[in-house]
Amino acid sequence: MSEESGRRNLRMPNDDEVFAVVSQHNGGNHVELKCADGKTRMGRIPGRMKYRVWINEGDVVLAEPWDWQDEKANVEWRYDDQAAEQLREEGHID
């Protein structure tokens, strides 16, 4: 069986994470996220990702909303285009 067409095991959100799509880059390490739970949040790219992972508008990411401020979230993971396509096909995101 070829691995090309096979389903890859992707990182899935844990209890306090949601799928999100980057809708706008606000400069520095801030992005606007359209989350799967219907909310729009201000996303923060943590220092450990800032220079290693480039995050662009339209990228699918995992966001972890803050406990104390629900309108803000940390970006925890970015999916590549292939993984994002798989998530769309499986119905996890629009």
Side-chain angles (χ1 to χ4, degrees):
M1 188 173 137
S2 77
E3 194 56 43
E4 290 296 305
S5 63
R7 179 184 186 282
R8 294 191 306 170
N9 280 333
L10 301 177
R11 178 172 171 191
M12 286 304 190
N14 57 30
D15 296 340
D16 48 359
E17 293 174 335
V18 292
F19 288 117
V21 177
V22 177
S23 56
Q24 193 178 354
H25 211 290
N26 295 341
N29 57 351
H30 289 91
V31 289
E32 193 172 291
L33 301 173
K34 197 153 179 32
C35 298
D37 58 9
K39 296 182 180 170
T40 301
R41 294 185 171 92
M42 173 64 65
R44 194 182 133 267
I45 302 168
R48 65 185 150 78
M49 287 178 74
K50 196 170 176 185
Y51 299 109
R52 294 187 186 93
V53 181
W54 292 110
I55 294 182
N56 303 308
E57 291 181 19
D59 280 352
V60 177
V61 297
L62 263 187
E64 184 177 352
W66 293 2
D67 298 338
W68 62 95
Q69 253 185 315
D70 193 47
E71 69 274 6
K72 294 186 180 174
N74 284 338
V75 175
E76 293 297 325
W77 187 263
R78 181 182 75 90
Y79 293 99
D80 59 26
D81 295 339
Q82 194 179 0
E85 193 53 45
Q86 182 178 318
L87 290 170
R88 287 191 174 95
E89 285 170 12
E90 292 177 6
H92 296 293
I93 51 173
D94 302 332

